Amino acid sequence: MKRAASHKPARPGAVDAQDAALQAELRPGQSIELLKELHILTRDGRLNQDSRRKLKQVYHLFQFIEPLLQELSRPAEGGAEPGVAGPTLADHGAGKSYLGFILYDLYFKALGQGHIYGIETRAELVQRSRELAERLGFGRMSFLNLSVAESADAAELPARIDVVTALHACDTATDDAIAFGLQKRARAMVLVPCCQAEVAACLRQGKALQLSRTPLAELWRHPLHTREMGSQITNVLRCLHLEASGYQVTVTELVGWEHSMKNELIIARYTGQKKRSAAERLRAILAEFGLQEALGARFGLTESPEPAAAE
């Protein structure tokens, strides 16, 4: 006669050890339910190797954003935006709003003020985020079904946003996020650019002429190099545009290269000091690569040089 299979319950000591190990990985007061919903924790509340790596990446990004939020939580000169208490943050291309939810859970929830706006074009993800925020009681989160460009004039957003984030925003969406930040007089921007094809296409068009003009065109003669060179030039132009617009810019790694090749993290903090040299270099690079007509307006350049601004 076959015996029924027995399922031995986990020993209390083992469960306690697992719980202690999990708590050592998490921040104090962090929502277990949220981490399960975001699939950072398994359904039984455990961390596997993949989710541990994901959590490490989230914490790494939070370490860059938390100091900005702490600084912005102090009253700004000239007073806060009417009707808005605490820092405001707009997350562009929010997707499932991993970043917004984690920021709210780790910072905004305890702060008791401030507001996060998740901006996403996929209606089903927007609705899912709204439902999750309601279940968790995250009342100071809003989710808008808009493109980055559309959000600049959206009535649902305040006239000023303190922090603008855009993680892995493809092609020109990062540029739209920068334009949004400039229009909203953002005090900080945190950007992780993704694939960018526009500059590469421009480089391909003029490749034969450039090869005859300068040996540097060898840097983008092969298609793979053209794509990578286009991405590099685009991010350099973005940094110069931000510096010319009064921001101090830092460029660093988001995570180790073994996790993602789209790894560049651009952090811009508003100082009000518009760099004349940055605008001049921006103009020179556009001219060198024959990009003035295609990209000049996007990066704030008029047809003729603007009057020199203070360094």
Side-chain angles (χ1 to χ4, degrees):
M1 186 177 179
K2 244 183 179 181
R3 288 187 180 178
S6 61
H7 298 280
K8 293 182 180 179
R11 290 178 289 110
V15 173
D16 291 344
Q18 289 173 343
D19 288 342
L22 176 61
Q23 291 304 320
E25 299 264 10
L26 304 184
R27 299 294 180 92
Q30 195 161 12
S31 169
I32 299 297
E33 183 184 351
L34 171 62
L35 294 179
K36 288 181 181 180
E37 290 279 358
L38 298 179
H39 303 294
I40 291 176
L41 290 182
T42 61
R43 290 186 179 277
D44 59 353
R46 304 298 175 201
L47 274 171
N48 56 34
Q49 195 57 39
D50 182 61
S51 58
R52 182 173 280 107
R53 182 167 57 249
K54 187 183 297 184
L55 186 63
K56 184 178 179 181
Q57 292 176 21
V58 169
Y59 285 160
H60 186 65
L61 183 57
F62 179 70
Q63 287 174 358
F64 288 108
I65 298 178
E66 183 182 28
L68 299 174
L69 293 172
Q70 288 173 338
E71 182 179 330
L72 297 174
S73 295
R74 298 192 290 270
E77 292 182 15
E81 180 73 22
V84 178
T88 51
L89 183 146
D91 182 26
H92 288 290
K96 295 180 181 178
S97 293
Y98 279 61
L99 177 62
F101 279 117
I102 292 292
L103 287 173
Y104 193 99
D105 192 39
L106 293 180
Y107 189 81
F108 283 77
K109 185 170 64 176
L111 185 65
Q113 58 181 2
H115 202 104
I116 292 178
Y117 300 88
I119 298 164
E120 169 58 45
T121 57
R122 288 165 288 183
E124 69 278 9
L125 296 184
V126 171
Q127 184 58 32
R128 193 181 306 169
S129 294
R130 287 171 178 167
E131 291 168 358
L132 178 55
E134 186 174 354
R135 282 203 306 276
L136 296 173
F138 289 5
R140 287 172 285 108
M141 293 190 80
S142 301
F143 301 94
L144 309 177
N145 183 203
L146 298 167
S147 69
V148 182
E150 290 169 342
S151 66
D153 299 313
E156 299 94 327
L157 288 160
R160 183 167 189 175
I161 293 288
D162 291 313
V163 181
V164 173
T165 60
L167 306 187
H168 299 117
C170 285
D171 211 14
T172 60
T174 298
D175 301 310
D176 291 338
I178 292 173
F180 173 94
L182 295 177
Q183 181 174 325
K184 295 292 186 180
R185 296 172 292 138
R187 296 164 70 187
M189 300 190 214
V190 179
L191 312 165
V192 179
C194 196
C195 50
Q196 214 287 341
E198 188 177 28
V199 170
C202 293
L203 292 177
R204 277 193 292 272
Q205 288 175 0
K207 187 179 296 186
L209 176 62
Q210 292 289 353
L211 281 167
S212 66
R213 189 175 70 86
T214 171
L216 290 178
E218 290 293 335
L219 293 173
W220 65 93
R221 177 163 64 92
H222 297 286
L224 176 61
H225 294 161
T226 304
R227 187 171 70 245
E228 294 303 316
M229 189 70 175
S231 179
Q232 176 77 353
I233 291 171
T234 302
N235 288 338
V236 169
L237 292 172
R238 287 164 174 163
C239 292
L240 290 172
H241 181 36
L242 286 163
E243 289 178 337
S245 301
Y247 288 80
Q248 180 186 55
V249 175
T250 302
V251 181
T252 186
E253 289 182 356
L254 173 59
V255 293
W257 289 106
E258 69 274 16
H259 299 307
S260 172
M261 292 302 290
K262 301 302 180 184
N263 193 40
E264 188 169 335
L265 174 63
I266 300 172
I267 302 171
R269 301 165 63 110
Y270 186 72
T271 64
Q273 298 178 346
K274 298 182 178 182
K275 286 191 174 181
R276 179 181 57 193
S277 61
E280 291 171 349
R281 290 169 184 168
L282 173 57
R283 188 182 297 277
I285 290 173
L286 289 172
E288 179 68 22
F289 290 97
L291 300 170
Q292 310 99 309
E293 186 176 343
L295 299 179
R298 176 176 305 164
F299 292 108
L301 298 184
T302 55
E303 292 185 6
S304 57
E306 295 176 354
E311 191 63 49

